Amino acid sequence: MRTLCFVVLFGLGAPALAQEAQPPPQPAANADEVVVEGRKPENVYAEIERLEISVYDRFNALNSNDEFDIHCFKQAPTGSNIPLRRCAPNFVVEAEAQAAQNTMVGARGRADARNHGDTTVLEQKSKALTEEIQRLAREDAQLMKDLVRLDELKRQQAADKPARRQTGG
C-alpha cells in the first residue's frame, strides 16, 4: 500500500509538473571563498512535512471526490514502537481496514470473506486520483508550485540518504 501511495503521489513526476529551475549564481572571478548552500536533513524533513500538509489541505479542498482526500498520520509499523508519518487517500485507508477485517474473519474460519478484486479497484482509483491531481495542478497555480517544490525536496532527501549512510550519520 505504501508503494501504491508513493506511486500515486509521485507518479505525476517532475516532467508532468516541473517548471524550469534557475541555474545557481556564478561566483565572481576574484572570490576568496566559496559558499556551499545546503540544509540539514532534519530541516528538509520538517519542510517536507509542512509542505505536504499545505499540499494535501489544498488538494482536499479542491478535489471532486472525498475518497481522494489525503490525510497524514503517525503509525508504528508491525514489530516497531517507533511511529512513522504516513499519508494516504481515504480509499486506501478504507481498503486496508477492510482487508484487516477480512483477515480477522478469515482467521475465524470463513476463508470466503476475502475479495481478490480489491487490487483492481485500488489500481483504478489510484489512476483516477493521479488524473485528479494533475487536473487540479494545471488549474491551480499554488497547488502546482507546491507540488513541484515537494517533488524537489523529496528528490533532495532521497539523494542525501546514501551520503548519510556512508558517513555513518
Side-chain angles (χ1 to χ4, degrees):
M1 289 296 160
R2 281 188 207 133
T3 304
L4 176 67
C5 292
F6 182 76
V7 169
V8 166
L9 297 177
F10 296 102
L12 313 172
L17 300 176
Q19 301 167 345
E20 279 190 40
Q22 295 181 358
Q26 296 297 321
N30 60 355
D32 289 342
E33 66 182 88
V34 176
V35 177
V36 178
E37 292 184 28
R39 295 187 174 153
K40 291 183 179 180
E42 308 84 50
N43 295 347
V44 172
Y45 179 81
E47 188 174 349
I48 287 172
E49 188 171 333
R50 180 196 58 77
L51 197 52
E52 278 180 340
I53 291 168
S54 175
V55 164
Y56 298 148
D57 285 349
R58 187 157 190 86
F59 173 75
N60 293 347
L62 296 172
N63 81 62
S64 62
N65 186 341
D66 288 341
E67 282 191 315
F68 294 161
D69 285 359
I70 299 171
H71 301 283
C72 299
F73 48 92
K74 291 198 175 191
Q75 180 180 29
T78 303
S80 174
N81 291 326
I82 302 170
L84 300 175
R85 188 166 181 275
R86 179 174 174 245
C87 302
N90 285 341
F91 70 85
V92 170
V93 173
E94 290 171 13
E96 288 174 344
Q98 185 62 48
Q101 184 177 10
N102 289 350
T103 299
M104 293 303 294
V105 169
R108 292 185 194 134
R110 284 193 49 209
D112 62 333
R114 296 178 188 222
N115 184 354
H116 298 290
D118 289 346
T119 304
T120 304
V121 171
L122 285 176
E123 288 172 0
Q124 291 169 346
K125 288 183 179 183
S126 294
K127 182 179 178 187
L129 172 61
T130 300
E131 290 169 357
E132 182 80 351
I133 291 171
Q134 290 173 339
R135 180 184 69 79
L136 291 173
R138 285 189 300 270
E139 294 173 4
D140 188 88
Q142 185 62 47
L143 182 61
M144 171 71 86
K145 178 182 169 190
D146 288 347
L147 280 168
V148 169
R149 180 68 183 138
L150 183 59
D151 183 61
E152 289 169 356
L153 289 170
K154 291 274 190 175
R155 288 175 188 265
Q156 178 182 348
Q157 184 182 46
D160 288 347
K161 281 184 181 180
R164 285 199 310 263
R165 281 191 210 122
Q166 291 174 356
T167 60

